[in-house]
Amino acid sequence: MTQTPVDNRIQLDFTGDERTLLTGFLDFLRGTIELKCAGLSEEDARRSVLPSQLNTAAGIVKHLRWVEAYWFESAIGGKPDAAPYSREDPDADWRIEPGETISGLLADYAEQCTASRELVAGLDLDHEVAFRGDKVLSVRWVLIHMIEETGRHAGHLDVVRELLDGVTGE
């Protein structure tokens, strides 16, 4: 794997073992989130350009930080879910609170991604944990799910960014 000098995202080879490809694609998408936020002002990062007032660039980053924490640290690692949402306030992980900045949210996201990487690095893809009662969950499933989740939100972020200032692409 190499990084392009322009945007620092991992560029995968077209071949590789399953773990390398799964973690590589997830890291590429994580880098896409960072790239899509590059150069945004605080005002633009908080501005809603879609019908949902929560679907802002900053809100997407904050949500993805907590999605990473849930699936890796809670679901796989067994730690309590520390996300700010609740039954009474299920969208709190999207809402930008006073004092939160896009740079701080990106730093929190990067830190969480590092913790996620470290957690799964020592686990086999077939490693399973009990999940939601009588179900089991594998590391492989979580990685695939996180590729889907991060990719979907990278697409949302692409639309948000294009509507904010016309920046789109990769």
Side-chain angles (χ1 to χ4, degrees):
M1 290 185 277
T2 60
Q3 293 182 322
T4 61
V6 175
D7 65 31
N8 295 323
R9 288 182 295 179
I10 296 295
Q11 298 297 310
L12 290 170
D13 292 328
F14 294 113
T15 61
D17 64 82
E18 184 180 16
R19 176 179 290 278
T20 299
L21 291 174
L22 289 173
T23 58
F25 269 99
L26 182 53
D27 278 337
F28 178 84
L29 290 167
R30 289 167 171 156
T32 300
I33 299 302
E34 181 181 346
L35 177 67
K36 291 295 170 183
C37 293
L40 278 177
S41 68
E42 284 302 322
E43 181 182 349
D44 280 347
R46 292 171 175 264
R47 183 180 307 155
S48 176
V49 292
L50 296 171
S52 168
Q53 295 302 305
L54 297 172
N55 212 343
T56 65
I60 291 167
V61 173
K62 184 174 179 178
H63 171 71
L64 281 170
R65 179 259 191 260
W66 289 109
V67 168
E68 286 270 344
Y70 175 76
W71 285 107
F72 290 103
E73 290 190 345
S74 297
I76 298 256
K79 291 184 179 178
D81 186 3
Y85 50 73
S86 65
R87 285 190 192 275
E88 298 76 32
D89 189 6
D91 296 324
D93 62 323
W94 288 87
R95 189 175 310 105
I96 306 308
E97 302 297 339
E100 290 182 316
T101 64
I102 189 63
S103 61
L105 292 167
L106 284 166
D108 290 347
Y109 178 57
E111 186 177 319
Q112 188 61 58
C113 291
T114 297
S116 299
R117 268 186 223 98
E118 290 171 358
L119 184 102
V120 298
L123 298 175
D124 189 82
L125 294 177
D126 291 323
H127 176 80
E128 293 178 344
V129 296
F131 184 67
R132 296 182 181 166
D134 62 346
K135 296 176 179 61
V136 293
L137 179 69
S138 72
V139 169
R140 177 182 289 103
W141 188 95
V142 170
L143 287 171
I144 292 168
H145 174 67
M146 287 304 300
I147 290 167
E148 177 272 328
E149 177 96 9
T150 308
R152 181 165 29 95
H153 290 308
H156 295 148
L157 190 51
D158 191 43
V159 171
V160 167
R161 185 67 191 254
E162 184 175 1
L163 291 171
L164 283 170
D165 61 10
V167 173
T168 189
E170 302 178 50

